[in-house]
Amino acid sequence: MEEAGVLELYELHYSDLLLLSSTSPVPEEGEERAERIKKTIMETLGPTGPGLLSITGVPKASILRQRLLPLASKLALLDHDRRKHILKEHNLGSDVPLKNPDRNVSSFAMQLKYAQALESALGITNNGARSNSNLESAHLDDNDDEVTDSPEDEFANLSDIFRELGYCMMELGLRVAQICDMAIGGQELERSLLESGTAKGRLIHYHSSLDNLLIKASGRRKGSTKKQAYCEKNQVLLSRSEQKQSERCNLVANVNEVGSSGNQGNLWQQWHYDYGIFTVLTAPMFLMPSQLSENTATDQFPVFCDQDSPCPTGHSYLQIFDANTNDVLMVKTSSESFIIQVGESADILSRGKLRSTLHCVCRPPNLENLSRETFVVFLQPAWSKTFSMSDYNVQHSMLGRHSSNEGNGLTEHDFNEVAREIQKIVPPLSSRLKDGMTFAEFSRETTKQYYGGSGLQSNS
């Protein structure tokens, strides 16, 4: 099996992000360095780059990530009725069918308002313009670095942590948009984000095989006796115990065995483009079950106490397809960083100066009981935003460009097996985008071609 190449992301420090997104002049002695960083950012997010970078050194990022991400797993494995109550209490919804026992992903979403994000983190002037002086001085309190929630109230602060981390990530996206606008000219990206009013935050749990066993057993238990449930529980325990030792031994040995041609049937999330402007992601957290949590006082289905497992050799198991080389690359990033990823709307609005990232999420091989937790904020334009095709070549996208060899000199030999497989399931941009479309129309057509009716992918 071939090894996937590794992409080590360009790291932009938060202090440099503040400096470069400021309207204040850069000190003369730092001008050359600042220009060099800006150039690297545009090269990284542009047509010749991977379309994503990481941001490090963000205040309080570590503690917020540690507090929020494990809750994704806990929510996913709750009894359906209890989970429904908690989600309602914290104003969270889901865009996946949580009653489906065969789902690979559990997702918990909330709309995050820019007005509140700006008020708490960025600051705005009375006339509605962004105040960089306030923006530069606003930061999270970095002293609160202790997790204090007890098991009894582990969800008590769910919505507060969700919003705080979400607002932090919205700030990062806005600042990157501002830097890109400076390089491109105008304020199209930042203005489009602010005009939308909201961004979507999504807390995601990618299921382990054990999770699916527990969920299915939980569903069966509703019509079973406690004795039957006890037997089911111990079957799950036995299965976990038999695999646990070999999994831990293989954790490092097998981490790079994610073959370019062998992982298509082993994905948590299929190949796709995000269709917004930017997607901001935490570095993922991987959880390995350690022991069963007993709860004899209630009739709740028991769940495993998960332990944070180090991100295998730094890999995120986010993979991208490099259109410049027709290679699949595994994204490597530190656990303390955030990832900024370009979406198709940024590609369109920048007239191709930014390039959207084709990506998927793959499962670590031979680690069936490892789950993956992450938090994502999708920054999109307003639904009424109109896309113009003027000065934009829709065929420049990877699948649009490669969907036909006519006029580009490419032959079938230019594509490896993965590229051909991706072409079968990712609808080209040229089939989804028409001149004068609103973002709402573009998103509907994109969703339809991926998942609806005769769509190319399953929406599970």
Side-chain angles (χ1 to χ4, degrees):
M1 180 182 292
E2 296 181 18
E3 292 184 1
V6 175
L7 172 65
E8 297 203 24
L9 295 182
Y10 170 69
E11 293 186 344
L12 175 64
H13 196 273
Y14 183 69
S15 59
D16 288 325
L17 180 66
L18 295 182
L19 178 68
L20 297 175
S21 59
S22 171
T23 56
S24 302
V26 176
E28 186 175 349
E29 62 274 15
E31 286 182 357
E32 183 177 344
R33 177 176 175 274
E35 288 303 315
R36 186 167 63 249
I37 295 175
K38 286 182 181 178
K39 181 180 178 181
T40 303
I41 291 172
M42 294 305 295
E43 289 174 348
T44 301
L45 300 182
T48 60
L52 67 171
L53 53 77
S54 70
I55 298 176
T56 61
V58 180
K60 211 178 179 182
S62 177
I63 184 61
L64 289 173
R65 173 182 174 273
Q66 289 173 17
R67 295 184 71 177
L68 183 62
L69 265 56
L71 297 182
S73 173
K74 296 179 186 296
L75 280 170
L77 298 178
L78 282 178
D79 171 82
H80 180 75
D81 291 338
R82 186 182 174 207
R83 179 176 58 234
K84 183 178 179 180
H85 171 75
I86 290 173
L87 295 182
K88 182 178 181 180
E89 180 182 2
H90 292 278
N91 197 31
L92 289 168
S94 180
D95 44 15
V96 299
L98 294 175
K99 285 189 175 182
N100 178 10
D102 297 316
R103 67 187 188 275
N104 292 323
V105 172
S106 293
S107 173
F108 311 101
M110 180 191 297
Q111 292 293 330
L112 302 169
K113 297 181 179 180
Y114 277 103
Q116 295 175 358
L118 290 169
E119 181 180 352
S120 64
L122 304 184
I124 53 175
T125 62
N126 292 332
N127 63 5
R130 181 174 35 76
S131 169
N132 275 290
S133 60
N134 289 336
L135 184 139
E136 286 149 22
S137 63
H139 60 83
L140 298 167
D141 182 2
D142 202 25
N143 297 321
D144 180 17
D145 57 359
E146 296 295 330
V147 178
T148 57
D149 292 344
S150 65
E152 291 76 16
D153 63 355
E154 58 189 348
F155 297 112
N157 298 317
L158 171 59
S159 56
D160 291 336
I161 301 169
F162 193 110
R163 289 189 184 93
E164 187 172 8
L165 186 55
Y167 293 159
C168 171
M169 294 162 70
M170 290 166 75
E171 176 200 355
L172 301 181
L174 282 168
R175 289 185 181 278
V176 172
Q178 187 179 14
I179 293 171
C180 293
D181 280 339
M182 290 178 184
I184 296 168
Q187 294 181 309
E188 183 74 7
L189 295 174
E190 186 184 22
R191 185 183 300 116
S192 296
L193 291 177
L194 294 176
E195 286 174 351
S196 71
T198 62
K200 176 182 278 190
R202 187 180 292 167
L203 180 62
I204 304 175
H205 170 68
Y206 295 91
H207 295 198
S208 67
S209 295
L210 179 58
D211 292 337
N212 290 114
L213 287 172
L214 286 167
I215 290 169
K216 289 179 181 179
S218 178
R220 290 195 301 270
R221 188 186 176 192
K222 290 183 178 180
S224 66
T225 66
K226 289 189 177 182
K227 182 177 180 180
Q228 288 172 326
Y230 178 82
C231 293
E232 291 170 347
K233 176 185 73 176
N234 281 281
Q235 284 182 326
V236 173
L237 272 171
L238 179 61
S239 173
R240 180 189 65 84
S241 177
E242 290 172 345
Q243 297 180 38
K244 184 175 180 180
Q245 184 60 40
S246 62
E247 286 176 345
R248 293 190 184 278
C249 292
N250 289 330
L251 182 60
V252 176
N254 294 306
V255 70
N256 286 319
E257 295 182 11
V258 183
S260 295
S261 61
N263 66 7
Q264 292 303 298
N266 194 29
L267 299 179
W268 266 314
Q269 190 171 35
Q270 264 291 2
W271 289 98
H272 67 285
Y273 292 99
D274 291 346
Y275 53 80
I277 292 179
F278 290 130
T279 303
V280 189
L281 311 94
T282 63
M285 177 182 289
F286 295 91
L287 298 180
M288 180 75 76
S290 58
Q291 65 183 39
L292 194 68
S293 172
E294 298 290 351
N295 193 352
T296 56
T298 69
D299 198 36
Q300 294 295 331
F301 188 79
V303 298
F304 284 99
C305 298
D306 291 326
Q307 290 183 337
D308 187 1
S309 179
C311 185
T313 68
H315 292 319
S316 64
Y317 285 92
L318 170 69
Q319 288 189 331
I320 70 164
F321 186 87
D322 186 344
N324 299 301
T325 62
N326 285 334
D327 288 332
V328 172
L329 301 176
M330 178 80 78
V331 174
K332 185 175 182 179
T333 188
S334 69
S335 62
E336 307 301 316
S337 64
F338 290 92
I339 297 173
I340 306 286
Q341 182 172 285
V342 177
E344 290 179 311
S345 292
D347 194 324
I348 299 163
L349 294 172
S350 69
R351 306 292 190 265
K353 292 182 175 63
L354 301 176
R355 186 61 56 86
S356 52
T357 309
L358 179 61
H359 60 285
C360 71
V361 180
C362 65
R363 294 176 180 269
N366 303 321
L367 292 169
E368 293 183 352
N369 284 350
L370 197 70
S371 69
R372 183 180 187 270
E373 326 299 325
T374 191
F375 182 60
V376 185
V377 176
F378 296 94
L379 307 182
Q380 301 177 341
W383 295 113
S384 58
K385 180 71 177 180
T386 301
F387 291 138
S388 170
M389 305 298 292
S390 174
D391 300 324
Y392 178 71
N393 180 10
V394 72
Q395 297 295 332
H396 81 181
S397 66
M398 192 280 290
L399 292 178
R401 185 177 71 237
H402 292 179
S403 60
S404 171
N405 295 328
E406 182 180 353
N408 59 22
L410 297 173
T411 69
E412 185 68 18
H413 297 292
D414 292 316
F415 309 111
N416 59 25
E417 183 177 347
V418 171
R420 289 193 293 271
E421 290 301 313
I422 292 173
Q423 281 184 303
K424 296 176 182 178
I425 61 172
V426 177
L429 181 60
S430 58
S431 73
R432 296 178 281 117
L433 178 67
K434 307 300 178 185
D435 189 43
M437 260 189 173
T438 64
F439 176 66
E441 292 168 335
F442 172 59
S443 64
R444 280 197 297 268
E445 184 62 28
T446 295
T447 302
K448 175 183 175 182
Q449 291 199 31
Y450 271 105
Y451 309 115
S454 60
L456 301 174
Q457 296 188 23
S458 168
N459 191 20
S460 62

